Amino acid sequence: MRLLNTDTLQLAEFDSLNVPSYAILSHTWGREELLYQDFHNLKAAIGKPGYTKVQNACTYARKYNFDWIWIDSCCINKDSSAELSEAINSMYQYYQDAVVCYAYLADVEYGEDPRKVGSKFRNCRWFTRGWTLQELLAPSYVVFLDRNWADIGTKWSLRHVVSAVTSIPIGVLVGTDMEKASVAQRMSWAATRETTRPEDMAYCLMGIFGISMSPIYGEGGPKAFMRLQQEIIRYSDDRSIFAWSASLSSSSERTGLFARTPVDFRFSGEVKSLDLGDTGHNSSYSFANNGLHISLPLIPDVDNLRNDPENRNGLYLAYLHCQAADGEHLSVHLKKIGTHFMRYRPDHLVLTRSSFDSLPMQEVVVKEPLPAFRKVSPRSDTVKFRVSPSPEDHLLMHIPDPGRNDFNKMSAEFITAKYMQKDTGEEFLVLAGLNQLWVPVLDIVAPKADTMVHAQEMVRNIDAYKADRVTSPVKGGGLVLLTLTRTGDSAGVLELRFISKQNASMFDTTIMATRSSLQFPAVGFTVPSSLSLRPPDGDWTRYWMQKIGGVNVTLAPDNVFPADCFHIPYNRRQSYYVSLTSTGVCVLIYDIVHPMSLSHHRCAVVLGFSAVNQDVWVDVVALESTESYEDLLRSYVSKMKFHRQLQSQRASLIVDFPVSAISEQTRSYELSAAVERRQTLQLGSHSVHFQWRARDGEGPILIR
């Protein structure tokens, strides 16, 4: 392994048994990165933008006593195919073994609340790249840094917003639930990501599945992804690897059970695999030169027989031994041609409540589990903590307390220190210790008689206090922020700061604390983000526009109320996934623009869940320019509180538009919104569809 010295900027080689403690950099490549070859004449490379990035990374790491850092751009000699292959296969391990990972976000600037819908953090390029997926998952400790190398937060403190952006459950982010995630679910995390070289979309996923294979640049993305799946099934009997759906445009080309790209798994984020050992079925399958050999329970595909009468005896549904989040079983369409089967309707996965346990199935095989993913840190009986001065320490004063521990002396369980905020005179205790997994935990509490009882509970509770930064409000506004930063000399630096009232919202991690785990709710909706009802070019275009009236219907990303972590763009950002909050109501603000008259209307589509009939409802209302979105939301919450029955699954709104930009004559149109339970695998339990029609009878136009 090659590492970069943070002081001398010299590269050094280490064998696998003698690798020192090191930090690691995760970043997106820009222009003129500093490469391995540049170190032959480093002075000539000083003017490159990549040199500044490397120098700043080393400076930041050296600040926390790291002598060594690994940076992919300069620590790999990409001219050597053997070294490049070794590095690609070892990349996940490099990030997993690092003491800390610095995620450098070049397009984010400190000062904005990263949890805010539409923030630069949520939309930064780092979350769109393929390689950064494993760089997020592999390290146990990740610090996000802005373009000026300012600390934005950590993977743990920002876990809710990172989970919302990536659709990765919190349990996976904090390192406890990776083994529970199915193959399909892991694939779905990469569905919206991209790589510069198409083959890398497969290579960047190897570490996440614990497999190795030789990179062959030039083989093309689909072939590389096919090899990845073939390698996965050598170790796993997780049949969710076949739980994907193709896009309609490419469905005619897809006849096998393997996916072509991670995009095929874009709707598979909730798929759970089933242990075939519990069903009495053997589960092996293999890939040979004549195709995939697999044993599956088959039943006649009755619903599709009328569409393909010539294959009356050759259409089947094949159960995949996996489920959607709500317990529905998944199956795919298979067609028998001669002695072979092929997949047909690859854009569709069938959901059914039927069980497959009683269906016959040929059993062949041997089961071998995937390698373990979670890194278990070795137990250490000594952990050092120390307090690092910060620019705002003059507002906080340490109060010596002979009856308590000092930060530099670790007790058997925990240590404490007493502080006072000078402006208000408020006193508080800072606690630090090791929980049962020997993971550092922190808290800030009032100096009460039961403080020691609280501290003992803190270090014994594995989940509730697994933290690297905590906040506590102070009198008069503002927060006290306690941060634990890992260093290269096995110490934990406790940095204590006072955050002003103006900046408190950026650091108050308790805002999202009510969600202990980000799991998709039982009721959620996929809604279109934009619709264009404009006819194709042709002689009848003007007639169509005049008779039916083309419009553009748009939902802005920040027009979802209340703003929710589950407001997730997916499906190439053509749709949004929104969930119901604790109020049971969600308001979507749409703009309707009429191109012929250049006029527009604003309407609200209100979605909710009825406790009366245990089903969803929808309403569509016009918005006045002076009406508050928050007031509208409160009015619907009030209606539900007083048991007004909102049970309709279809609602409509009448709008009037001028015939043209210069005409005073108007025509009436009807915009209808309908909710229906999903028919195939997708995010959310329901879909929202729109219909547009002229009131004189022309139309309707159904938009899905």
Side-chain angles (χ1 to χ4, degrees):
M1 184 180 189
R2 185 180 293 113
L3 295 173
L4 179 64
N5 189 284
T6 60
D7 186 32
T8 64
L9 294 188
Q10 296 296 312
L11 294 170
E13 302 274 356
F14 296 92
D15 62 63
S16 59
L17 299 179
N18 297 291
V19 178
S21 296
Y22 64 93
I24 200 164
L25 181 68
S26 174
H27 65 117
T28 56
W29 281 40
R31 62 185 183 88
E32 295 189 81
E33 293 287 346
L34 193 66
L35 305 178
Y36 170 79
Q37 287 72 21
D38 292 320
F39 283 82
H40 298 313
N41 185 7
L42 197 56
K43 290 183 179 180
I46 290 178
K48 297 177 67 172
Y51 180 88
T52 303
K53 183 195 295 186
V54 169
Q55 188 179 47
N56 288 335
C58 290
T59 300
Y60 193 90
R62 196 165 59 249
K63 174 183 175 183
Y64 294 104
N65 298 334
F66 285 103
D67 295 327
W68 302 98
I69 190 171
W70 191 89
I71 304 175
D72 60 348
S73 56
C74 55
C75 289
I76 305 173
N77 179 10
K78 296 177 179 61
D79 288 346
S80 168
S81 58
E83 181 174 333
L84 179 60
S85 177
E86 179 185 0
I88 289 176
N89 280 277
S90 304
M91 196 84 70
Y92 192 92
Q93 193 70 42
Y94 289 169
Y95 280 88
Q96 192 176 56
D97 291 343
V99 177
V100 59
C101 173
Y102 300 129
Y104 175 65
L105 313 181
D107 50 353
V108 177
E109 192 163 355
Y110 177 86
E112 183 183 35
D113 186 348
R115 295 161 303 184
K116 181 181 178 182
V117 174
S119 68
K120 290 183 178 178
F121 178 83
R122 293 180 69 128
N123 293 288
C124 71
R125 184 170 179 262
W126 192 85
F127 286 117
T128 69
R129 307 304 296 167
W131 286 107
T132 57
L133 176 59
Q134 68 173 0
E135 294 163 15
L136 170 67
L137 294 173
S140 59
Y141 185 68
V142 178
V143 180
F144 293 102
L145 304 171
D146 81 342
R147 60 184 303 179
N148 298 313
W149 300 87
D151 183 340
I152 301 172
T154 65
K155 179 169 69 170
W156 192 91
S157 68
L158 295 174
R159 62 197 183 282
H160 294 92
V161 65
V162 172
S163 185
V165 173
T166 61
S167 299
I168 302 173
I170 285 178
V172 174
L173 289 175
V174 301
T176 59
D177 292 342
M178 176 66 92
E179 294 87 349
K180 299 178 183 177
S182 67
V183 171
Q185 188 176 20
R186 298 180 207 184
M187 289 290 191
S188 74
W189 303 335
T192 59
R193 294 175 179 259
E194 298 176 344
T195 56
T196 302
R197 304 189 73 165
E199 297 88 353
D200 281 340
M201 202 62 252
Y203 305 155
C204 72
L205 297 175
M206 293 192 297
I208 293 174
F209 293 102
I211 58 104
S212 299
M213 65 184 196
S214 299
I216 306 174
Y217 286 104
E219 66 176 326
K223 189 173 182 179
F225 194 63
M226 173 72 78
R227 287 203 298 128
L228 174 74
Q229 294 169 93
Q230 291 173 8
E231 197 65 27
I232 290 172
I233 68 173
R234 290 183 58 195
Y235 298 96
S236 172
D237 65 352
D238 183 345
R239 299 193 173 201
S240 71
I241 193 172
F242 309 118
W244 53 268
S245 55
S247 63
L248 282 172
S249 60
S250 65
S251 61
S252 60
E253 309 167 5
R254 317 295 286 278
T255 59
L257 280 178
F258 283 126
R260 187 78 56 84
T261 166
V263 175
D264 292 339
F265 291 90
R266 63 199 180 281
F267 302 138
S268 303
E270 299 176 293
V271 173
K272 300 181 296 184
S273 64
L274 297 178
D275 187 352
L276 274 74
D278 296 337
T279 66
H281 293 304
N282 287 330
S283 56
S284 69
Y285 42 87
S286 60
F287 192 80
N289 60 355
N290 62 341
L292 179 70
H293 293 235
I294 182 172
S295 297
L296 290 167
L298 300 177
I299 63 171
D301 191 355
V302 178
D303 291 339
N304 282 292
L305 289 178
R306 66 176 67 93
N307 299 325
D308 195 354
E310 294 182 2
N311 287 281
R312 184 169 299 277
N313 297 320
L315 301 181
Y316 299 92
L317 286 180
Y319 286 99
L320 294 181
H321 297 87
C322 55
Q323 292 179 319
D326 51 6
E328 295 169 309
H329 297 279
L330 299 181
S331 56
V332 295
H333 300 278
L334 291 184
K335 178 188 292 187
K336 186 176 183 181
I337 301 178
T339 59
H340 289 76
F341 284 86
M342 61 173 284
R343 183 172 178 181
Y344 77 106
R345 294 195 65 189
D347 60 307
H348 192 253
L349 282 169
V350 181
L351 302 178
T352 176
R353 291 286 180 183
S354 303
S355 174
F356 52 80
D357 291 347
S358 60
L359 296 177
M361 168 178 161
Q362 288 187 346
E363 299 176 340
V364 210
V365 187
V366 175
K367 177 181 178 181
E368 184 173 348
L370 280 170
F373 291 93
R374 183 156 57 101
K375 178 183 177 182
V376 180
S377 301
R379 173 171 171 156
S380 172
D381 291 329
T382 59
V383 175
K384 297 181 293 182
F385 291 90
R386 64 173 183 265
V387 177
S388 175
S390 71
E392 295 179 298
D393 271 351
H394 64 280
L395 296 175
L396 303 171
M397 181 174 68
H398 178 247
I399 303 175
D401 190 343
R404 304 193 188 278
N405 300 303
D406 183 80
F407 266 115
N408 293 310
K409 297 177 182 178
M410 186 67 188
S411 71
E413 286 189 306
F414 54 86
I415 55 177
T416 67
K418 192 174 184 181
Y419 280 81
M420 182 178 72
Q421 212 278 329
K422 289 184 178 180
D423 291 345
T424 63
E426 183 178 7
E427 296 182 353
F428 55 90
L429 290 178
V430 169
L431 309 179
L434 298 175
N435 66 17
Q436 293 179 351
L437 294 180
W438 289 82
V439 174
V441 290
L442 316 172
D443 208 357
I444 302 173
V445 298
K448 298 179 180 179
D450 61 348
T451 298
M452 294 303 100
V453 176
H454 176 89
Q456 292 171 349
E457 179 64 23
M458 176 189 73
V459 299
R460 290 168 185 162
N461 193 317
I462 294 175
D463 296 320
Y465 290 96
K466 186 178 180 182
D468 46 51
R469 62 183 61 192
V470 293
T471 60
S472 180
V474 296
K475 295 177 182 177
L479 298 168
V480 174
L481 171 67
L482 178 65
T483 304
L484 172 65
T485 303
R486 308 292 175 85
T487 66
D489 57 359
S490 299
V493 176
L494 289 164
E495 297 178 320
L496 195 64
R497 283 191 286 166
F498 174 74
I499 307 301
S500 66
K501 184 177 181 180
Q502 292 75 14
N503 296 324
S505 64
M506 286 185 57
F507 294 91
D508 187 5
T509 56
T510 62
I511 292 176
M512 311 294 293
T514 55
R515 289 196 173 142
S516 59
S517 180
L518 187 64
Q519 301 294 334
F520 289 108
V523 178
F525 303 87
T526 56
V527 298
S529 58
S530 62
L531 308 165
S532 182
L533 302 182
R534 307 175 78 175
D537 293 335
D539 295 337
W540 52 277
T541 297
R542 181 173 297 277
Y543 171 81
W544 191 97
M545 292 287 282
Q546 291 175 348
K547 280 293 193 182
I548 303 179
V551 293
N552 296 323
V553 184
T554 305
L555 171 66
D558 56 350
N559 281 357
V560 179
F561 300 91
D564 189 275
C565 256
F566 292 104
H567 172 206
I568 303 172
Y570 82 104
N571 193 16
R572 302 284 179 167
R573 296 186 180 270
Q574 295 173 0
S575 304
Y576 284 102
Y577 169 73
V578 297
S579 69
L580 297 185
T581 64
S582 58
T583 62
V585 181
C586 180
V587 176
L588 314 175
I589 309 301
Y590 279 90
D591 285 314
I592 311 173
V593 179
H594 189 266
M596 292 294 290
S597 62
L598 302 180
S599 58
H600 77 279
H601 287 275
R602 176 160 282 196
C603 72
V605 177
V606 187
L607 303 170
F609 180 78
S610 173
V612 177
N613 60 0
Q614 294 293 301
D615 209 344
V616 299
W617 52 264
V618 63
D619 201 7
V620 185
V621 295
L623 281 178
E624 303 296 335
S625 59
T626 58
E627 189 170 7
S628 165
Y629 307 147
E630 290 79 4
D631 290 342
L632 179 65
L633 178 64
R634 280 194 289 268
S635 70
Y636 276 89
V637 173
S638 177
K639 291 177 184 179
M640 295 182 65
K641 182 178 179 181
F642 291 102
H643 305 291
R644 279 198 55 185
Q645 294 189 5
L646 295 165
Q647 299 184 16
S648 176
Q649 295 188 352
R650 182 181 181 86
S652 59
L653 172 70
I654 306 300
V655 294
D656 294 325
F657 280 116
V659 175
S660 67
I662 60 175
S663 174
E664 295 183 359
Q665 181 182 359
T666 62
R667 295 189 68 206
S668 294
Y669 302 93
E670 180 183 27
L671 177 68
S672 300
V675 291
E676 64 178 34
R677 190 161 185 84
R678 65 180 184 181
Q679 301 299 313
T680 185
L681 188 65
Q682 65 178 46
L683 293 183
S685 58
H686 292 76
S687 297
V688 179
H689 304 305
F690 288 98
Q691 200 175 63
W692 176 259
R693 72 164 71 222
R695 292 284 286 172
D696 58 8
E698 295 288 349
I701 303 162
L702 181 64
I703 312 135
R704 291 186 178 272

